[in-house]
Amino acid sequence: MAKFLVKKSGPMRGEVTISGSKNAVLPIMAATLLTDEECVIKDVPALRDVDVMCSLLESLGAGVRKNLDENRVTVKAEGEIISEAPFDLVKMMRASILVLGALLLRSGRALIHLPGGCAIGERPVELHLKGLKALGAEIDEQSLQKGIVDAKADRLHGATIYLDFPSVGATEVIIMAAALAEGTTVLENAAQEPEIVDLASFLNKMGAKIKGAGTGTIKIEGVEKLHGVSHHVIPDRIEAGTFMVSAAITGGKILIKNMLPDHLKAVIAKLRECGVEIDVTDRGVIVDGSRNPIVSTDIKTLPYPGFPTDMQSPFMALLTVAKGPSVVMETVFENRFMHVAEFNKMGANIRTEGKCAIIPGNRELKGAQVAATDLRAGAAVVLTGLVAEGTTEVSQIYHIDRGYEHFVDKLRGLGALIERVED
Ligand code: UD1
């Protein structure tokens, strides 16, 4: 198993260019199944999750040409589309559920065996299923009890749907299904993330009629057919946020290119509260952590435009070394503090109580053997490794490979002492 060795590094300096967004490209790739014509997706990041989505589309009968050296994927889903998603791919990536609506529309049935039985099979997709039911799909309840989504529909029709929580995945699945349903769908309390806007703009280019993406109410007028298009994926806001923290935590100054600051308003505001200077220029965003000491702040994760849950662990890395105590409240996911135990191995001394983590700050961290407990937590322990005395050994880095393109090369380009070693 590969590992990262991270040594205490000096301040980050230089430039870094942000890749295409993982969370935007995955639903867009799923949406290519909605047409039998060719779609070309550009600025696709070379990531493990993208590989898994390519394999999933192929296993469903689509023709996929992957050229990730040039960040391009071409999909042509002509002919018959298979209704069953293979379990070995679905278990590798939760985002596989995004093909649900497209399978229903193309083959009249969608069969997806979710990993983990009821615990994962029922709760985290109930909003997706509620939406599809409102659009006319039949969901087999007995299969669902066993963790299998078995949905059938001869045709889908428009409906008014209210989401109890603005789930990103449910919003994406419902938009895709409603795009080809008969009549008009109104989705209330929809997720407002930039990735939803990118998906809607991809679908609208294909001929869909979607209005209001990026707000809480999305209106979709169903159309009969969608056609092939070419599309550039938006930059990855979480990757950009992670690099912003790399400059802040090391007291460095970097230029971040291909970053859309409008997508990171909450993160930028919080970094400024901590004393980081941020300038938006024509060339990119300059992040300067060298001018002021980092002071503590509190954060609370929320659906967009609130502070992103995916930035919670990278930001907590910064708060471990800030002057003074901070409180981090996680409201989006119930159990997203696994990285706390890893930070504590390095001397962070963080305590959790329910949804809150209390971070004393002012810590001199020491290198330790830590694990990337999930994708973002993996990036977070690498960030702490940059300022910890000695060497930090990060295991389970396959999580990081899922979502950060050329992470080691990009960090090394800024002066980080990090290397990948095979065990
Ligand atoms: C997406 C992102 C992920 C990000 C998350 C929240 C992708 C591929 N992944 O995940 O990086 O962390 O948004 O910004 O885009 N929930 C339910 N029932 C449902 C659906 C969701 O209870 O039917 C809960 C989830 O368990 C979780 C919360 O809602 O606690 C947010 O989930 P959701 O917005 O659906 O996230 P994903 O689309 O899975």
Side-chain angles (χ1 to χ4, degrees):
M1 292 283 242
K3 284 182 180 171
F4 287 159
L5 297 181
V6 190
K7 290 204 177 106
K8 183 170 176 156
S9 311
M12 297 296 105
R13 296 261 180 248
E15 303 180 358
V16 64
T17 301
I18 298 307
S19 300
S21 160
K22 169 181 90 70
N23 288 353
V25 79
L26 296 176
I28 285 171
M29 289 175 75
T32 62
L33 292 176
L34 295 171
T35 175
D36 52 10
E37 296 177 18
E38 185 174 274
C39 292
V40 183
I41 313 172
K42 297 173 184 166
D43 295 332
V44 177
L47 300 172
R48 205 167 62 99
D49 274 6
V50 168
D51 290 335
V52 175
M53 187 55 97
C54 286
S55 304
L56 180 60
L57 296 181
E58 272 176 341
S59 74
L60 297 171
V64 179
R65 269 184 295 144
K66 186 169 67 170
N67 185 345
L68 289 183
D69 290 339
E70 291 179 20
N71 298 106
R72 197 173 59 236
V73 169
T74 306
V75 184
K76 191 168 184 188
E78 58 183 342
E80 197 186 327
I81 293 299
I82 294 157
S83 53
E84 181 166 2
F87 182 58
D88 58 339
L89 293 174
V90 175
K91 75 178 181 209
M92 287 169 81
M93 187 178 69
R94 184 176 136 75
S96 304
I97 195 76
L98 293 169
V99 299
L100 198 53
L103 293 191
L104 260 182
L105 286 161
R106 287 295 297 270
S107 71
R109 187 170 183 200
L111 197 61
I112 305 184
H113 190 143
L114 295 162
C118 294
I120 292 178
E122 226 168 346
R123 210 199 93 247
V125 294
E126 91 271 354
L127 296 172
H128 310 52
L129 301 185
K130 182 180 162 185
L132 292 180
K133 269 195 214 164
L135 296 174
E138 262 178 55
I139 316 282
D140 185 85
E141 290 300 326
Q142 279 188 343
S143 303
L144 200 57
Q145 294 295 322
K146 296 181 207 139
I148 300 167
V149 175
D150 185 358
K152 288 192 189 117
D154 289 338
R155 64 199 316 187
L156 296 177
H157 53 75
T160 296
I161 301 165
Y162 169 79
L163 290 182
D164 298 315
F165 179 86
S167 155
V168 174
T171 301
E172 291 166 345
V173 165
I174 294 167
I175 293 178
M176 284 188 241
L180 285 171
E182 207 180 300
T184 303
T185 298
V186 179
L187 182 58
E188 302 281 11
N189 199 28
Q192 303 179 29
E193 271 70 0
E195 294 76 21
I196 307 276
V197 179
D198 205 26
L199 172 65
S201 91
F202 178 72
L203 289 167
N204 282 343
K205 274 194 219 167
M206 293 171 91
K209 291 188 174 162
I210 303 169
K211 285 190 184 147
T215 73
T217 304
I218 303 179
K219 194 168 166 189
I220 307 126
E221 247 181 80
V223 296
E224 275 197 7
K225 192 175 160 36
L226 296 176
H227 51 81
V229 287
S230 168
H231 184 78
H232 286 270
V233 175
I234 54 168
D236 196 306
R237 62 193 167 99
I238 306 301
E239 187 198 10
T242 304
F243 280 103
M244 293 181 96
V245 173
S246 79
I249 198 168
T250 59
K253 182 178 178 185
I254 65 172
L255 173 70
I256 307 185
K257 292 179 161 175
N258 196 37
M259 158 178 168
L260 294 176
D262 273 357
H263 292 176
L264 280 141
K265 283 184 182 158
V267 174
I268 289 173
K270 283 289 158 184
L271 282 170
R272 284 187 170 140
E273 272 179 38
C274 291
V276 180
E277 295 195 355
I278 296 163
D279 269 329
V280 177
T281 73
D282 291 345
R283 292 177 60 226
V285 178
I286 298 169
V287 184
D288 190 350
S290 69
R291 296 173 72 87
N292 308 305
I294 298 297
V295 292
S296 62
T297 188
D298 297 336
I299 61 167
K300 179 177 178 181
T301 66
L302 287 167
Y304 191 85
F307 191 93
T309 174
D310 286 351
M311 278 303 298
Q312 185 250 104
S313 52
F315 210 91
M316 195 186 285
L318 178 65
L319 297 178
T320 60
V321 298
K323 267 182 181 295
S326 311
V327 176
V328 168
M329 190 192 274
E330 172 61 58
T331 75
V332 177
F333 285 97
E334 283 157 24
N335 182 22
R336 203 172 194 178
F337 280 141
M338 267 129 58
H339 45 280
V340 164
E342 308 306 306
F343 285 154
N344 283 348
K345 286 179 195 164
M346 302 173 80
N349 209 17
I350 300 167
R351 199 158 50 82
T352 56
E353 270 188 38
K355 289 180 172 182
C356 291
I358 298 114
I359 302 130
N362 304 311
R363 308 305 291 183
E364 302 268 335
L365 300 176
K366 289 201 175 61
Q369 290 189 348
V370 291
T373 50
D374 71 32
L375 164 57
R376 307 301 170 188
V381 289
V382 168
L383 293 173
T384 38
L386 296 176
V387 289
E389 278 308 323
T391 302
T392 300
E393 202 177 300
V394 185
S395 61
Q396 297 179 26
I397 59 169
Y398 49 85
H399 283 298
I400 303 175
D401 295 339
R402 280 188 42 221
Y404 286 91
E405 188 184 48
H406 308 315
F407 195 45
V408 167
D409 291 344
K410 287 187 183 184
L411 279 170
R412 285 167 75 106
L414 298 174
L417 303 173
I418 176 169
E419 60 177 325
R420 186 185 182 107
V421 292
E422 299 299 325
D423 216 8

